[in-house]
Amino acid sequence: MNLKEALKRGETGPLLDANDFLMQRVAMNVVKLQKKYDVKWDGKTLVNLDDDLADRCWAAGKELLLTAGLYGANSRRVIEFSPAEVEHALHFAPHRLAMGQGKDAVKIHHRNVEDPRRPFIFAGPFNANTHQDMFVKLNEAFAQERIIDCLFLPGYLNTLDGLMIRPGSGLSSRAAVLYGQWAREAVRRAGRPGMPICGHAVMALNEMACTNEEWGLRQSDPRAMVLLSELQVDDVTLARLAYYAAYGCPQYVAFTPLVGGYGGGPDGTAIVAVAAFIGSALLGGEILHLGPQHIKYKMQTNQHSLFLGSLAQQAVNRNSHLITTTSHTTAGRPGSTQYAYEFAALELAVVPSGSNVSGPRPAEPLGFNNVSPLMARLFAEVAHAAAEMTRAQAAPIVAALYEKYKDKISLEVAPKGLPFEELYDVDTLTPRPEHQAVYDEVKAELVRLGVPLGS
Amino acid sequence: MPSAEQVYASMRAAIENYDSDAAVAAAKEAASAGLDPTKAIEMGFAGPIREVGEAFHRMDIFLPQLVMAADAMKAGVAVLEAAIKAGGGHLEKKGVVIIGTVEGDIHDIGKTVVAAMLQANGYEVHDLGVEVPAPRFIQAAEEVGAHIIGMSALLSTTMLFQRDVLELMRNKGLDKKYFTIVGGAPVTQAWADQIGASAYARGAVEAVRLLEERRKEWAR
């Protein structure tokens, strides 16, 4: 199985209505597989400690992919796979991948459960709406954090020169070009000209216009694509996969299984997540990003998503050598302590489960530039510390952190936080004292709780 | 001949079991027993479908069950509506809703949840699907005599098509005719105000609640 064959099946596979795919092939099969493999959440566990459950979840997810396939959302045809093709893809998937250039080149690798090696850090604006006037400064402030391995999704330009950008328009091509130029300028200003930039310029095929070896995103930069929930892929993503595969970019494929959706609860949705991990690898994905969504809370640090993240990551990382990461979106926003407690809780759940990390970002950013490079530094420090912990050591800390914010996970009541330009002195690109104080307070509390962050 | 209470029990069971075929059969039984169709809908379908909506909100059940229950209700109501029309009457509906995901946006689930929750709360919902061009929202609303137009956008780059629907309505002189409601991950109250939408809903529960609260603005 390769991308060429997957694209062919996307044009020739069984024709099916989208609702039939979701109800018959996904929802019904998840219910059957949950029973067959006894994949069940006990209603309280936040970090899975049961290896056998993780292995059953892996078996169920693999069987789900074989019975459901992936749905071509535009062609309405199902891309089906045989067991041999799945095994072949898993065997030949990379376990290590280089990105970036020169002295700024870095490697990401597969992590085992309770792997003491440090996780790879994707951090940056993470597609929060970013104003063109602040784009370079904001990304420079992220890139100057040496602990960040890869500048992550340098920000959505949804307006340009006062106009909203229509997908597919000439304006969006111009925005994609500027995105590439400005992101490259930011890492150059930070003294890391070869730092990898994980990019996703605009929401249409012409996002590829940000690609240029001199001024834009390069062959050595991972390119991000997102599957649709559940187990669906659209033409824009397939077209980008085809182009970036030919161009030689590392392929960063994300998927967003929805708790409360067609997979049911966190246990059934973990099965869907495993199927999406494997399906993404079959499409040529090399860095596989789990971004669990929640039908009610719309963020990723609720109790369901903590459990799902830990279980699905353990399932995949115990049973394959795939390179995985987990995104971190929160209810609280930068400038609040809750923001950091939330992303720390999820990191402590998924890093000992074998994940690398991507993020952080508020699930509902308010206005432009609602992200913080200083919080990305803390995010990276917590991820490194979490690699020194077992799941059993991390679990009570996750529970303690969850207690701190569980009553404020509704996006309406969560702290609204502040934009970058109010958290930072934008001339010196240093955090304002009040923002630094939040960092110091949270770090001290995490140390008190037992996270090995040092002083 | 079953009693009215037995027929209502069959109707309730059909919704509770998410069974469209059973809902149709029970509705046919109600019609052939000569029961008042409007009362049958209220006694047989309305209670359990509201309970399904509440169970979904509590996360006791999930999206597949919500969709199946809403489909069962729709199928059963269609049978009873036909009986009402055959008798020369017409079914009083709570409100008629056009809903869809805007142009350039293929995301379906959020819109499907809102559609199912509105159906579960007694609205007649016409789901136009995804990637719906701006003129199609207006054309469909005119065709079915809608009260409400709901527009979903999951991407910050497709939100502007919500603006285009409202601008087109103003250009056609139809902006006062429909109650317009916008939603989706990047959508905010500020955006709704900026483009002149009647309302913003963060999610399905909020959509149902605000339509109840602002009934006077759209009922006619």
Side-chain angles (χ1 to χ4, degrees), chain A residues 23 129 156 164-167 203 228-229 258 260-262 264-265 294 296 364 411-412, chain B residues 56-57 59 62-64 68 106-107 109 112-113 131 155-158 160-161 191 202:
Chain A
M23 294 293 283
N129 282 347
Y156 256 145
M164 289 191 75
I165 297 167
R166 182 168 56 82
M203 289 305 301
L228 297 164
S229 295
L258 179 68
Y262 292 99
H294 197 283
K296 185 171 179 181
E364 184 188 65
L411 298 179
E412 283 171 311
Chain B
F56 177 74
H57 183 55
M59 297 195 72
F62 304 111
L63 184 57
M68 286 191 288
I106 203 161
H107 292 85
I109 291 180
T112 300
V113 174
E131 296 195 285
L155 304 171
S156 57
T157 46
T158 56
L160 84 172
F161 290 114
W191 171 248
R202 192 188 290 273

Side-chain angles (χ1 to χ4, degrees), chain A residues 11-78:
Chain A
E11 303 299 325
T12 57
L15 189 63
L16 210 58
D17 177 75
N19 286 335
D20 290 341
F21 176 79
L22 290 165
M23 294 293 283
Q24 308 299 329
R25 289 215 178 197
V26 179
M28 304 285 238
N29 278 320
V30 168
V31 171
K32 284 182 198 162
L33 292 166
Q34 256 193 279
K35 282 186 188 152
K36 178 176 174 182
Y37 290 98
D38 189 26
V39 177
K40 196 163 169 42
W41 183 50
D42 62 9
K44 57 180 190 287
T45 297
L46 300 180
V47 180
N48 179 56
L49 303 176
D50 182 343
D51 287 344
D52 194 59
L53 175 62
D55 293 346
R56 297 198 306 272
C57 185
W58 168 259
K62 198 195 276 189
E63 191 168 331
L64 176 63
L65 183 70
L66 288 168
T67 48
L70 294 176
Y71 186 69
N74 295 96
S75 70
R76 298 188 178 84
R77 293 186 182 275
V78 183

Side-chain angles (χ1 to χ4, degrees), chain B residues 23-98:
Chain B
V24 167
K28 284 180 178 169
E29 207 171 18
S32 62
L35 300 179
D36 175 3
T38 305
K39 188 178 177 188
I41 290 170
E42 183 57 34
M43 297 297 290
F45 288 149
I49 201 75
R50 273 195 295 268
E51 283 166 22
V52 164
E54 286 162 13
F56 177 74
H57 183 55
R58 291 192 304 270
M59 297 195 72
D60 293 340
I61 62 167
F62 304 111
L63 184 57
Q65 292 87 347
L66 177 70
V67 170
M68 286 191 288
D71 285 348
M73 165 109 174
K74 194 172 186 177
V77 168
V79 171
L80 291 167
E81 188 175 6
I84 292 168
K85 278 187 183 161
H90 76 281
L91 181 62
E92 283 296 327
K93 286 167 185 157
K94 193 170 190 178
V96 179
V97 182
I98 291 292

Side-chain angles (χ1 to χ4, degrees), chain A residues 311-351:
Chain A
L311 176 60
Q313 285 287 359
Q314 288 170 38
V316 173
N317 292 315
R318 280 177 56 80
N319 291 282
S320 77
H321 62 251
L322 297 176
I323 302 169
T324 71
T325 182
T326 307
S327 67
H328 292 64
T329 68
T330 59
R333 301 171 181 91
S336 68
T337 54
Q338 181 179 326
Y339 181 59
Y341 289 137
E342 287 186 55
F343 66 63
L346 183 53
E347 288 182 290
L348 290 164
V350 299
V351 170

Side-chain angles (χ1 to χ4, degrees), chain B residues 83-157:
Chain B
I84 292 168
K85 278 187 183 161
H90 76 281
L91 181 62
E92 283 296 327
K93 286 167 185 157
K94 193 170 190 178
V96 179
V97 182
I98 291 292
I99 193 166
T101 304
V102 296
E103 194 167 348
D105 198 329
I106 203 161
H107 292 85
D108 185 56
I109 291 180
K111 176 266 305 165
T112 300
V113 174
V114 176
M117 282 292 275
L118 288 171
Q119 269 181 257
N121 282 273
Y123 292 86
E124 178 182 311
V125 178
H126 298 266
D127 185 347
L128 304 182
V130 298
E131 296 195 285
V132 180
R136 179 66 191 134
F137 280 97
I138 300 167
Q139 183 191 5
E142 292 284 293
E143 284 168 4
V144 302
H147 302 95
I148 299 148
I149 298 177
M151 291 159 272
S152 173
L154 262 289
L155 304 171
S156 57
T157 46

Side-chain angles (χ1 to χ4, degrees), chain A residues 130-141 143 151 154-162 165 171 174-190 197 210 214-217:
Chain A
T130 303
H131 196 276
Q132 68 182 92
D133 292 345
M134 202 53 70
F135 196 97
V136 174
K137 278 182 175 289
L138 176 60
N139 280 289
E140 181 186 352
L151 182 62
Y156 256 145
L157 284 166
N158 73 337
T159 61
L160 192 62
D161 301 334
I165 297 167
L171 192 65
R174 189 170 125 71
V177 169
L178 291 170
Y179 175 101
Q181 291 175 343
W182 292 341
R184 180 61 55 200
E185 174 63 14
V187 297
R188 282 176 170 156
R189 283 195 196 183
I197 303 167
C210 72
E214 196 277 322
W215 50 254
L217 269 61

